[in-house]
Amino acid sequence: MNLPGKLVTLASCAMLLISCKGEEPSSDTHLVSNPMLKFAPANTPYLLANLEETPAEVVDAYLAIMQPGLDLLQSMAQERQQEDPDITGHTDAATRLFSAALAELDGKLNRAGMESLGLSLQSHKAFYGMGMFPVFRVGLHDTAAFEATMSRIEERAGVTLPQIDTGAAQYWKFSAEDQPLAVYMHIAEEHLAIGVWPVDSENSFLPDFLGQGSTQLEAAHTQSLAQLNRDKEFTAFGSGYVDFRLMKQEMLDAESVTNRSLVPLGVQPHAQFEPICAVEFDEITDRVPRMVTGLTELSGERVEALYQFEMNESLGRALALLVTDTPPASKDENHVLAMAFALQIGKVRDYLLEKASDRIANRYQCSALQTLNELADQTFSSLNRPLPPFAGNLNGFRMMLTEMDFENPEPQTSRGLMVVEVEKPQMLVGTAQMFIPGLDGINLVPGAGPVEIPPEMLGIEMGESSLFAAMTNDSVGVGVGIDEGQELDQFINASGNETGAFLSVGYDMEAQKALEKRLSEMASDLDTSSMQSVALRHTYMSMHFTPAGLTIRSAFSLRP
């Protein structure tokens, strides 16, 4: 049997949440495949899939990490049953089915329990578009067990979900009255398929959805993803793309799957665009043709994902020139917080002003792009004036907080460093001397090394802690709670930004939880202690401009 509405979401989320957990990268991504890829059309505008299943030992490791959270969900499911034991008393069928599904999960939020329901914790998955309409396929552990689970849910809810039989296949259709879209579900070849598309166009989608069409492109899609994995150094456990050129075609081409499917509804997206739109959309998608994403690392201790907006070389190189050599934030997981920003603000302003001026002189004619014309006007108006000297000379900043007592967040209980990279640091120091009496008596000169600043000069209580400042030819920095300024001297003289990172942040999740705990105690009486124990150990995010485009890396590690 199958799931309606909320039950679809619940089952899909459960399978995705657990089955997407990681493992060691494979060096043979070109030798593996995903049988569900044979259903994806050749010109799908987006595709996300794994070429290898997740190993059992990695799934078990993540289940152990997630067990406190699963226990909390278990207690919530039991409380719902106690508060609302008569599921069939509801008039709304969707509510009854959702409650019945929660009851079915009772006591089964573990590996053996989920598999007893027919769900796979290691399966292949594929998410793609038939035109712009989404299809999701996920492997099952046991088809018969899954169907039995759905039968029990139907019986418990007092709802019958009739199957539609084509003679060659069966499927379920969930649609609300007067709604143009429907959810279609089908069990085929040991996996569950879910799709959404217009009811009036279902006959054009069902053959391929049910595996009766001519789409047999597993090898082609496998080769495409395997090549992507090699090019971007992705693992075989999850990667894909969104092709903006194909999405544009789906919207602008009268004969595209999307446009043909919407005709019965009296909707024609392509008719909303003037002929000039095709030319101007081409200009945009030529610059940024697609976005790719993939998992670059998966294990029981760490997960890292990459997202990249690919750009043509001209645009990529122009943006890369805006990045300074300010080092990215430290990845040391023992630090409370590390952050770095590495853009030359004066160059960024000049670049944006130039691009806004170019657009004003060559305005988009397509009505759908008028917002970009307005943005160019606003940008030009905001930036067509001199920047304050400090902002115009700013090249970046770095900070690192190594210790903080969140129960008593005072300077004397903190330890950290901060450096501002600026073309003329003497100007910044001179400004500070105007507002801080006595600071002009401190021998703060480029290259002289860190000097201690008396806390009373700043009017703050430091206890036994210390405060240092230092300056180089292109930066000025301060350190709180450090040893004799040595740490500040090393921090301020660090250099090198080989990856083009212009923004990077790393933070300790234990420290974040300590802060959130204080806030939640005041804002809510919800007991989140069980969920907090599942928190990540450390999170790190970085954004890069390179000739290849805009790259975003996101990584997190888990507590053992």
Side-chain angles (χ1 to χ4, degrees):
M1 297 299 160
N2 221 311
L3 307 171
K6 296 178 181 177
L7 186 55
V8 172
T9 302
L10 181 66
S12 299
C13 288
M15 288 182 282
L16 277 173
L17 178 64
I18 301 175
S19 66
C20 70
K21 303 307 181 185
E23 71 180 55
E24 295 299 324
S26 168
S27 61
D28 295 320
T29 57
H30 62 291
L31 299 179
V32 294
S33 184
N34 180 336
M36 300 173 198
L37 291 174
K38 69 181 179 181
F39 299 99
N43 60 343
T44 176
Y46 51 90
L47 175 65
L48 182 66
N50 58 334
L51 296 182
E52 289 191 21
E53 295 182 343
T54 310
E57 61 271 19
V58 176
V59 172
D60 290 339
Y62 273 83
L63 282 174
I65 293 170
M66 297 170 62
Q67 195 57 54
L70 295 176
D71 291 342
L72 179 60
L73 292 176
Q74 173 69 53
S75 65
M76 292 172 63
Q78 292 175 342
E79 289 175 6
R80 184 181 180 92
Q81 290 185 67
Q82 294 171 0
E83 296 171 358
D84 188 17
D86 185 14
I87 294 174
T88 58
H90 292 279
T91 57
D92 180 58
T95 299
R96 300 204 303 271
L97 286 161
F98 182 64
S99 297
L102 282 179
E104 188 66 32
L105 292 174
D106 186 12
K108 297 175 182 176
L109 291 173
N110 51 62
R111 181 182 179 85
M114 297 297 283
E115 290 183 349
S116 74
L117 299 175
L119 305 177
S120 172
L121 307 185
Q122 303 175 236
S123 66
H124 279 116
K125 296 166 289 294
F127 180 71
Y128 59 89
M130 298 177 72
M132 295 293 288
F133 301 104
V135 175
F136 174 61
R137 296 179 184 269
V138 60
L140 295 173
H141 175 72
D142 186 317
T143 299
F146 182 75
E147 291 179 329
T149 298
M150 297 303 104
S151 294
R152 293 193 301 271
I153 290 173
E154 285 185 311
E155 182 178 357
R156 188 188 296 264
V159 175
T160 299
L161 303 174
Q163 299 183 55
I164 300 173
D165 195 336
T166 68
Q170 294 177 327
Y171 66 93
W172 293 264
K173 174 181 175 181
F174 305 100
S175 61
E177 188 176 354
D178 299 327
Q179 292 298 314
L181 300 177
V183 176
Y184 297 80
M185 300 182 64
H186 169 59
I187 296 176
E189 300 183 13
E190 302 299 322
H191 75 270
L192 176 68
I194 305 172
V196 180
W197 53 76
V199 175
D200 292 339
S201 300
E202 64 181 29
N203 290 337
S204 63
F205 287 93
L206 283 171
D208 285 342
F209 179 70
L210 300 175
Q212 300 168 352
S214 58
T215 301
Q216 295 290 327
L217 298 168
E218 179 181 348
H221 287 308
T222 296
Q223 291 175 6
S224 175
L225 288 181
Q227 186 62 53
L228 176 66
N229 293 346
R230 288 192 292 270
D231 292 343
K232 306 297 182 180
E233 298 183 348
F234 295 153
T235 69
F237 309 113
S239 60
Y241 61 83
V242 177
D243 193 313
F244 300 124
R245 296 162 299 187
L246 291 177
M247 294 183 75
K248 174 214 66 179
Q249 182 177 331
E250 285 295 322
M251 298 304 296
L252 299 184
D253 186 350
E255 297 302 316
S256 71
V257 171
T258 302
N259 273 289
R260 286 189 284 108
S261 301
L262 293 174
V263 168
L265 302 179
V267 179
Q268 297 182 330
H270 74 281
Q272 302 175 23
F273 299 100
E274 307 91 336
I276 189 63
C277 291
V279 177
E280 294 180 343
F281 273 108
D282 280 342
E283 176 187 329
I284 295 173
T285 57
D286 284 346
R287 291 173 180 163
V288 187
R290 67 174 185 169
M291 188 274 286
V292 300
T293 184
L295 296 167
T296 55
E297 181 180 351
L298 272 94
S299 69
E301 297 79 34
R302 178 180 167 83
V303 177
E304 182 179 51
L306 179 148
Y307 310 86
Q308 185 176 81
F309 290 84
E310 296 179 333
M311 300 177 179
N312 65 25
E313 188 173 0
S314 175
L315 177 59
R317 289 192 177 280
L319 293 174
L321 291 174
L322 304 177
V323 182
T324 67
D325 64 355
T326 299
S330 170
K331 294 183 179 181
D332 190 330
E333 297 190 357
N334 294 314
H335 296 156
V336 175
L337 172 68
M339 180 182 296
F341 177 77
L343 287 176
Q344 211 294 319
I345 300 301
K347 287 184 178 180
V348 172
R349 177 260 185 189
D350 293 343
Y351 178 81
L352 293 175
L353 191 59
E354 176 188 353
K355 295 305 176 183
S357 300
D358 290 345
R359 182 52 54 206
I360 291 172
N362 300 278
R363 305 181 75 84
Y364 285 121
Q365 301 303 307
C366 175
S367 58
L369 298 177
Q370 294 309 300
T371 300
L372 297 182
N373 289 336
E374 296 171 3
L375 180 61
D377 293 334
Q378 295 168 5
T379 301
F380 185 85
S381 176
S382 300
L383 298 180
N384 191 29
R385 64 193 67 180
L387 289 175
F390 170 72
N393 291 328
L394 182 64
N395 290 327
F397 71 85
R398 291 180 290 135
M399 67 166 294
M400 186 167 63
L401 183 63
T402 55
E403 294 179 17
M404 173 169 280
D405 181 359
F406 285 97
E407 294 297 327
N408 183 30
E410 302 290 341
Q412 61 266 33
T413 64
S414 303
R415 183 184 182 91
L417 302 156
M418 182 172 180
V419 168
V420 176
E421 312 238 357
V422 61
E423 292 183 9
K424 299 177 180 179
Q426 295 88 344
M427 293 178 59
L428 186 60
V429 173
T431 301
Q433 290 173 342
M434 294 173 59
F435 296 95
I436 303 175
L439 187 60
D440 55 354
I442 301 297
N443 187 32
L444 191 61
V445 295
V451 296
E452 188 167 5
I453 306 295
E456 58 270 18
M457 184 179 294
L458 303 179
I460 58 176
E461 177 60 42
M462 294 295 297
E464 297 182 359
S465 188
S466 57
L467 177 66
F468 283 84
M471 184 166 59
T472 69
N473 290 327
D474 54 12
S475 62
V476 60
V478 295
V480 177
I482 59 177
D483 299 329
E484 300 298 330
Q486 294 178 3
E487 294 175 73
L488 177 58
D489 189 51
Q490 295 175 356
F491 191 69
I492 197 172
N493 285 295
S495 63
N497 184 5
E498 293 81 12
T499 65
F502 65 88
L503 178 64
S504 50
V505 181
Y507 54 95
D508 178 77
M509 298 301 294
E510 291 289 342
Q512 177 181 321
K513 284 193 299 177
L515 178 61
E516 290 178 347
K517 181 180 178 181
R518 296 189 66 192
L519 298 176
S520 64
E521 288 173 350
M522 298 182 291
S524 172
D525 59 357
L526 175 65
D527 180 10
T528 59
S529 58
S530 295
M531 289 300 289
Q532 288 174 353
S533 65
V534 192
L536 309 175
R537 176 187 177 188
H538 187 267
T539 297
Y540 192 89
M541 184 279 297
S542 58
M543 303 178 71
H544 311 248
F545 280 142
T546 71
L550 168 63
T551 300
I552 303 171
R553 291 184 177 272
S554 177
F556 61 83
S557 60
L558 298 116
R559 294 186 295 130

